[in-house]
Amino acid sequence: MIHETLASTPAIDLGRHPRAVLRNASSARLYEEAIRRSEAELTEHAALLARTGEHTGRSPNDRFLVRRPESESEIGWGKVNKPLEPASFEGLLAKVQEYARGRDLFVFDGYAGADPHTRLRVRVITERAWHSLFASNMFLHESDPEKLRDFAPDFTVLGFPGALADPATDGTRSSTFVVLDLDRAVALIGGTEYAGEIKKSVFSVMNYHLPRRGVMSMHCSANYGADRDQCALFFGLSGTGKTTLSADPHRTLIGDDEHGWGDHGVFNIEGGCYAKVIRLDPSSEPQIFATTRRFGTILENVVMDPQSRRLDLDDDTLTENTRASYPLEQLEQVDLEGLAGHPRHVVFLTCDAFGVMPPISRLDDAQAMYHFLSGYTAKVAGTERGVKEPQATFSTCFGAPFMPLPATRYAGMLGQKLRQHGSAVWLVNTGWTGGPVGTGRRIPLAQTRRMVHALLAGELERAEMRLDEVFGLRSPIHIHDVDSRVLEPRGTWSDPAAYDRKRQELAAMFRENFRQFEAGASEAVRAASPKG
């Protein structure tokens, strides 16, 4: 454990709080409180529906790490990890404490990390009942009443949407703030209702804490086959298929988003899932769809008929980023212990909206490091304000917004783990074929599932491979029950010359992005860059 003395200097002294404090309440009680306080509504099938107002996603430009001497030299400072001075943090903390004084509080105490040797004791204090239910869904529970009574957190999250910063005096960019003090072990969240800030703040802390304990922290989903030694990891950014592909009825889910890889294997950091549900298809994703119709699920920004209380999962009026938060026990095929062996397969997921990447490729060690550092996917029109055509996105380690340490620290750990355990690495494109967005079509989910099943079953170990002369990727020519035309992306375009131009355009984006890593990369990793 870390910060063992935090309980003696709490961010908010709950024992002397002048208003009501509801600790570790049941889902039913939090439902009642959220509805009574007009924070949320009940849906037709008893899920809880909340709307997050202006902020329907994370606010990365408003996220800061407090710059303190104890941790300053370890942080990978830059556009993602922006510094905030200690004096500004103290001012914001005082502002949050004063704001909280006049309000009822909801408190969740639990854990991040299924491995008891490296788990973090987490306390989440909020002004919203539904945010407390969110924390209860997403983190691991303590079932022993005595331990809960004496619970001393390693890290405390203060989530108060109504507390607003003043950029002129607080050192922030706007009235919204997400501030992590890794040394004081406190996160401050204000000015935003989006519950994902709670989840990702704790994940960021784990991404600082775990590598310092020799554990690789990962933005990935994980599942296993017949036994826990048949583990697979699925890295990817939002919208690439981490949750969808890991929720496989033929395999056991460990978790859908955050994991650690230690000396004894893989473990889940969370106790729940936070899935995108826009245009969710009940036939292709039945397990996730079922959670939208269950008590205990929180739905964010999903459109609902006010009279019938019927959901419209296809309606993106409020946002493309509609979400469902639900505990893992709502799924049928899940390992609630959250533990597995070392992964046999590691899959990097990319959603290529340009339509040029092969749907599946086997990576050698150098290519694995190159693509892990690159973390490529693409935004499509409608996912963010101002996005009118596909835009390449490179997010180091497939999770740069949550990685406090330098990217090479995580990449080095992954490379060591892959060599030590002989894991096979694959790049799977869940994006477009036959052309870019607007011309081509999304690779059918059923075809992607079949490719993933083939690699997990070992069917591709001796498969005949085709070499992409630009990206240097080796892809199978044939996979049983997969349309062979999909496996060769150039042949799916009506104009092969247009494909060649678009492929070179994307290759140039890769090369430009990787310049930031060239000085510290080996010759082999640099050679894995696409050819001009």
Side-chain angles (χ1 to χ4, degrees), residues 31 41-43 45-49 291-295 297 299:
Y31 258 62
E41 299 175 278
L42 200 64
T43 71
H45 295 287
L48 194 68
L49 175 62
T291 68
T292 67
R293 304 160 71 89
R294 287 188 181 143
F295 175 84
T297 293
L299 298 170

Side-chain angles (χ1 to χ4, degrees), residues 245 284 443-453 481-482:
L245 292 172
S284 60
I443 298 172
L445 176 58
Q447 295 277 278
T448 300
R449 281 197 188 280
R450 175 66 196 115
M451 295 180 220
V452 170
H453 286 164
D481 284 341
V482 173

Side-chain angles (χ1 to χ4, degrees), residues 94-264:
K95 183 174 290 188
V96 170
Q97 290 170 329
E98 180 59 31
Y99 177 88
R101 201 181 314 278
R103 287 167 172 78
D104 297 341
L105 300 182
F106 299 90
V107 179
F108 171 80
D109 290 329
Y111 303 98
D115 178 1
H117 301 100
T118 57
R119 66 177 20 167
L120 202 70
R121 295 177 299 211
V122 175
R123 171 167 289 166
V124 180
I125 304 175
T126 72
E127 63 173 312
R128 298 281 191 264
W130 80 268
H131 280 174
S132 198
L133 179 60
F134 177 86
S136 179
N137 280 353
M138 300 313 302
F139 301 119
L140 298 160
H141 287 225
E142 174 55 70
S143 58
D144 187 331
E146 291 188 10
K147 290 183 178 180
L148 272 180
R149 187 179 61 245
D150 300 329
F151 192 88
D154 298 316
F155 198 91
T156 301
V157 178
L158 305 182
F160 291 87
L164 302 178
D166 180 354
T169 59
D170 293 322
T172 58
R173 186 190 68 94
S174 71
S175 60
T176 299
F177 56 95
V178 180
V179 180
L180 307 183
D181 192 327
L182 298 169
D183 299 293
R184 284 282 301 275
V186 176
L188 307 178
I189 302 172
T192 173
E193 294 264 2
Y194 185 65
E197 298 286 14
I198 298 172
K199 164 189 161 72
K200 291 305 186 185
S201 291
V202 173
F203 184 42
S204 296
V205 174
M206 293 298 278
N207 287 330
Y208 175 74
H209 164 62
L210 289 177
R212 298 164 78 232
R213 300 287 298 272
V215 177
M216 170 70 184
S217 56
M218 306 174 293
H219 187 216
C220 70
S221 59
N223 64 22
Y224 61 79
D227 58 56
R228 287 177 170 173
D229 289 330
Q230 296 183 9
C231 177
L233 306 179
F234 299 84
F235 286 84
L237 300 171
S238 178
T240 57
K242 284 197 318 299
T243 298
T244 297
L245 292 172
S246 58
D248 186 328
H250 303 291
R251 295 174 65 83
T252 299
L253 180 71
I254 306 166
D256 83 324
D257 195 49
E258 304 171 6
H259 291 82
W261 185 357
D263 292 339
H264 303 291

Side-chain angles (χ1 to χ4, degrees), residues 339-350:
L339 302 171
H342 299 289
R344 293 186 181 182
H345 296 276
V346 174
V347 180
F348 297 158
L349 299 171
T350 181

